[in-house]
Amino acid sequence: MSKSNSFVKNLKNINKFINNLLEENLNKLKFKNLINLLRNNKIVLTFVAVLILFISYLLLPALYKQDQISKKIKLDLVKKLNLNFNFTKKFNYNFFPRPHFTIKDSVILFNDQEISKVKNLIIYISIDNLFSINKININDLLIENANFNLNHKNYNFFHDLLKNNFLDDELKIKNSNIFFMDSKKDVLFINKIENMKYYYDNKELKNTLISKNELFNFPYEIKVYDDIGEKKLTSIVNLNYFKLKIENEFYYKNNIKEGKAYIVNNKSKSKIFYKTNSKFFNFTYKDRTENSNYSYVGKINVNPFYASLVGETQNINLSYLFDINSLVPQILKTGILNNENIDFEMNIKAKNVFNNINLTNLNLNSKIKGGLVDIDQTKYQWKDYADFKLIDSLIFVKDGQLILDSKLEININDINEIYKYLLTPKNLRKKINKIILNFSHNFDQNVITLRDIRLDKKYNQDINKIISLIILKDNKLQNKIYLKNLLNEALKYYSG
């Protein structure tokens, strides 16, 4: 055994002896006994001497040359975590509460390209041997206030970190951001990292990643296991806000990777099967009941970016799409979908609308292209009484509020049944075949503004004035009564 190792071992034994002595006798000490103890100069001097030696030992790394520290730590980080750092500022050393180096404004390189700027980096080192810089061993790493830039070339950066050896070490990332970018370096969306941790799970016997994040202002948690032998990635995602849980198995052995996910949303259960590589992501989405109530097929091409979603369902819950507090409106309000490089098409057919027995045969179309979002050619029926079609539509954000502006065509199939529903007086029941109008719907205020209303191509100023503004309430029954009264008031002027 070398002299340095022997010295360290003696220091540890002395430290252990002092701790045991304090634990056994500290509670028994009285004031008089404490005075007698302090009078015993041998004990005091021994304690002070050991303390000075121990602190001096802990301070040894502060004496190392900066270029030597930088070179040693840089090599060790590549070897341990496959992280290639570029250091431009000096290392600061501190031994409290654990020996560690701190460095500001460093950079992480991935495939010789800058992938992240790190505001604060803390490198914890082992206490075992501080006599030689070559013997210093990194234990844990903490990255704080970093910005990671991911694209189709380096999207697997965080997954690759799981392939390292975390048996004795941990990697933590706090208060950071992940910017997902397209080929033109425009930001598609931002994932905020509150607290991320890589470690070895002794129960699962696998490398593990746990993380608390925020995406589109919605918090979520994720836990990931990596089975390197089977080349299988298992993840569990919890979105408590939506009462949503996703369990995913991802097999990455082949060039075209495959996976399956099981989704639980309240009592609803569904499954996704998908295939992907660096260029595309294709999936099918179905429910897990014996008689499937819905089925979707989606395609995403990375470069150039193009995506499509086609599906059929028995029932569709429009609140997921149009309720202002749901995910889709919140994404729209961020403005990221107004990126000119996004090309997306969607078509969903639904026989019924959840919580609305009157609306049937919905054909929901949406398109995002050239930075514009619309729902043109969306069609639906009000029972068998009327057919509705949206054209010349545009969804946009104005003063922080989400707006749908569109033209609406209504073809009347059975005006008599509509009059019965509205409880319209018989003397006001005039034949109407077609209604065309323009409207703006403010989702945040739940207000609809109608304009240029034409009944069978005829414009009536009084009708346009009466129903120019519709203020909806949270209570559906109140809305039903309110709309009936409003429409019947307008029909007075149309009947003449």
Side-chain angles (χ1 to χ4, degrees), residues 78 111 144 152 159 206 209 263 271 290 302 309 363 397 427:
V78 171
N111 294 333
E144 292 182 311
H152 68 283
H159 168 227
K206 298 172 185 175
L209 160 66
I263 303 171
K271 56 187 175 183
E290 189 171 327
V302 176
L309 177 65
N363 190 342
V397 178
N427 63 317

Side-chain angles (χ1 to χ4, degrees), residues 394-414:
L394 183 65
I395 298 175
F396 59 95
V397 178
K398 183 178 181 181
D399 299 328
Q401 297 185 336
L402 189 65
I403 309 293
L404 166 63
D405 194 273
S406 180
K407 177 182 283 188
L408 176 63
E409 291 185 357
I410 307 173
N411 288 301
I412 309 296
N413 300 321
D414 194 335

Side-chain angles (χ1 to χ4, degrees), residues 87-123:
F87 304 124
T88 57
K89 294 189 176 180
K90 291 184 177 181
F91 284 77
N92 293 316
Y93 174 75
N94 201 328
F95 64 82
F96 184 82
R98 294 167 54 192
H100 64 273
F101 290 102
T102 303
I103 185 168
K104 304 290 185 182
D105 302 325
S106 57
V107 170
I108 301 177
L109 302 176
F110 185 79
N111 294 333
D112 296 325
Q113 298 291 323
E114 180 181 306
I115 194 174
S116 176
K117 294 183 183 293
V118 182
K119 193 71 176 177
N120 192 47
L121 178 66
I122 301 177
I123 304 159

